[in-house]
Amino acid sequence: MRIGIIGSGHIGGTLTRRLRALGHEVTVANSRGPESLTQLAEETGASAGTVEQAVDGADLVVVAIPLLAVPALPASIFDGTVVVDANNYYPQRDGDIAELLDRSLSSSRWTADHLKGARVVKAFNNIQARHLLEQGRPAGSGDRIALPVAGDDAEAKRLVMDLVDALGFDPVDAGSLDGSWRQQPDTPVYGTDRDAAGVRRGLAEARP
Ligand SMILES: NC(=O)c1ccc[n+]([C@@H]2O[C@H](COP(=O)([O-])OP(=O)(O)OC[C@H]3O[C@@H](n4cnc5c(N)ncnc54)[C@H](OP(=O)(O)O)[C@@H]3O)[C@@H](O)[C@H]2O)c1
């Protein structure tokens, strides 16, 4: 696939490495511009680009940036694109966002409201970057970690679940984007590296 990655930090850098290793064509972007990404591009064989170049022609775009930076993205270029939202809301980092503080919206719904027309799927938000880098396992392994995948677009969700599997994790359908609060910080599945049965149980046991 042609994959765009916005954010080159812990999660974006990790997914650049892992997805290039699987043979995908990756364009990675950050806030400082392509010239700051020379080393990552050389190491992985990814292209360093602008946000626009990462989105243009991509089959799927991962957004892995501090949530407060989402409204600064050029929303119109995401129209019709499958967007994997790996972000989390941390008020101390992202500031006060009323509808997230009062939990009336999931952070992925808030993101989808900004990126109107994008086919948003939430994934990779609940696993530490280092575990994403190092703990993928072949299907059927006893110690395979499962990752919840939430979204409203069935085709987009399938694409992301297949990618999660290819990266060495059991994908678990976590339901709708509005219900994706069940995998946000402070829920049973957040950072706990459960197997598929454990993730299903944790999603069901999550409390708002
Ligand atoms: N760290 C983890 O283990 C982990 C796990 C799961 C989910 N998450 C979530 O994933 C997101 C990213 O976390 P992280 O730890 O990877 O962050 P990070 O290491 O601080 O990296 C953030 C990246 O976002 C880029 N960025 C910021 N504003 C941008 C903009 N307007 N346009 C394009 N790129 C922009 C930064 O660009 P520059 O490099 O130019 O500064 C940087 O590359 C957060 O929402 C976090 O909560 C993190």
Side-chain angles (χ1 to χ4, degrees), residues 1-8 12-13 15-17 19-20 23-30 33-34 37 40-41 44-64 78:
M1 283 196 286
R2 286 180 70 174
I3 298 179
I5 301 187
I6 301 176
S8 59
L15 284 172
T16 299
R17 292 180 173 87
L19 293 169
R20 275 297 303 143
H24 295 289
E25 205 179 302
V26 173
T27 300
V28 59
N30 63 5
L37 290 165
L40 182 62
T44 60
S47 302
T50 61
V51 169
E52 286 76 4
Q53 287 167 335
V55 176
D56 187 32
D59 299 303
L60 177 154
V61 174
V62 178
V63 177
F78 293 86

Side-chain angles (χ1 to χ4, degrees), residues 6-12 29-32 51 64-67 69 72-73 86-88 90 93 124-129:
I6 301 176
S8 59
H10 293 96
I11 286 290
N30 63 5
S31 70
R32 287 166 295 152
V51 169
I65 63 179
L67 199 72
L73 294 174
N87 297 337
N88 292 300
Y90 282 105
R93 180 192 63 196
F124 303 118
N125 74 294
N126 73 315
I127 183 168
Q128 282 178 41

Side-chain angles (χ1 to χ4, degrees), residues 33-119:
E35 50 296 333
S36 68
L37 290 165
T38 313
Q39 204 178 325
L40 182 62
E42 276 173 10
E43 177 198 326
T44 60
S47 302
T50 61
V51 169
E52 286 76 4
Q53 287 167 335
V55 176
D56 187 32
D59 299 303
L60 177 154
V61 174
V62 178
V63 177
I65 63 179
L67 199 72
L68 84 163
V70 167
L73 294 174
S76 62
I77 66 173
F78 293 86
D79 192 20
T81 300
V82 177
V83 169
V84 182
D85 172 23
N87 297 337
N88 292 300
Y89 175 52
Y90 282 105
Q92 60 276 31
R93 180 192 63 196
D94 300 315
D96 289 356
I97 301 173
E99 55 275 42
L100 301 184
L101 282 173
D102 71 11
R103 294 178 179 253
S104 55
L105 287 185
S106 69
S107 68
S108 284
R109 171 59 65 199
W110 183 87
T111 296
D113 285 348
H114 282 286
L115 305 181
K116 278 269 179 263
R119 303 160 70 191

Side-chain angles (χ1 to χ4, degrees), residues 17-18 27 46 55-56 66 74 87 90 135 147 149 174 178 182 192-193 204:
R17 292 180 173 87
R18 294 283 338 268
T27 300
V55 176
D56 187 32
N87 297 337
Y90 282 105
Q135 297 194 16
L147 298 181
V149 180
D178 285 332
R182 291 177 181 277
T192 48
D193 292 346

Side-chain angles (χ1 to χ4, degrees), residues 107-160:
S107 68
S108 284
R109 171 59 65 199
W110 183 87
T111 296
D113 285 348
H114 282 286
L115 305 181
K116 278 269 179 263
R119 303 160 70 191
V120 177
V121 176
K122 189 177 194 71
F124 303 118
N125 74 294
N126 73 315
I127 183 168
Q128 282 178 41
R130 180 155 287 279
H131 294 186
L132 186 57
L133 184 68
E134 295 175 348
Q135 297 194 16
R137 300 284 184 267
S141 303
D143 59 348
R144 204 178 203 223
I145 295 169
L147 298 181
V149 180
D152 300 335
D153 181 317
E155 192 187 53
K157 183 154 50 172
R158 187 71 259 161
L159 190 69
V160 177

